[in-house]
Amino acid sequence: MDNCLFCKIAAKQIPSSVVYEDDELMAFKDIHPAAPVHLLVIPKIHVPTLSECDASHTVLLGKMLALAPRLAAEHGCAVSYDADGVPAGGYKTLINTGPDGGQEVYHLHLHMYGGPRPWRGQR
Ligand code: AMP
Ligand code: ZN
């Protein structure tokens, strides 16, 4: 897509802080982080929103979500358990979809927020 910000990031026409890349996906740091760790996972192909996805996108969507635990481990926010089994760490994954979903960039992306709270606008 000609005028898509995240297509340009995927094509390296616009710089970003890339933290992961393979043939299908890229992950980079959000330019306005809302948490100590705030990453965006995108497909390299242009898909405007989750609303355009169907069963043919199942593998792609699965790969996007399955990347989150790896990124979490690499950025210090994986879930861990103490000797009593009490969990610590963790992160939030989010896909904003359309205007009512709060989407601003119309290229499918998965937000990944992590790190110690409070986060911007959240406890
Ligand atoms: P959304 O509201 O779900 O569409 O989120 C779009 C996200 O893209 C926001 O969190 C922005 O801070 C982020 N963003 C916008 N431009 C850039 C950029 N050039 N590099 C990295 N993140 C960006
Ligand atoms: Zn795009």
Side-chain angles (χ1 to χ4, degrees):
M1 269 287 283
D2 281 352
N3 223 1
C4 171
L5 175 64
F6 287 177
C7 279
K8 288 179 180 167
I9 284 178
K12 309 259 174 76
Q13 291 165 0
I14 288 178
S16 67
S17 297
V18 179
V19 298
Y20 177 85
E21 184 173 7
D22 64 25
D23 288 347
E24 291 175 281
L25 304 181
M26 183 180 274
F28 52 93
K29 294 184 181 178
D30 195 291
I31 204 164
H32 296 302
V37 176
H38 186 176
L39 306 176
L40 300 173
V41 179
I42 64 166
K44 287 187 171 177
I45 59 165
H46 182 77
V47 179
T49 85
L50 185 62
S51 246
E52 278 79 23
C53 291
D54 58 24
S56 70
H57 297 86
T58 302
V59 173
L60 184 69
L61 290 168
K63 286 180 179 175
M64 288 172 66
L65 193 57
L67 189 56
R70 172 179 169 162
L71 294 175
E74 291 173 354
H75 291 81
C77 47
V79 175
S80 59
Y81 301 89
D82 71 12
D84 297 320
V86 176
Y91 49 93
K92 176 184 284 195
T93 50
L94 175 72
I95 297 176
N96 293 325
T97 304
D100 288 349
Q103 184 173 1
E104 292 176 358
V105 178
Y106 278 73
H107 179 125
L108 177 66
H109 52 281
L110 175 78
H111 290 262
M112 194 182 140
Y113 308 93
R117 286 178 182 255
W119 299 346
R120 192 176 77 208
Q122 296 191 40
R123 283 179 292 144

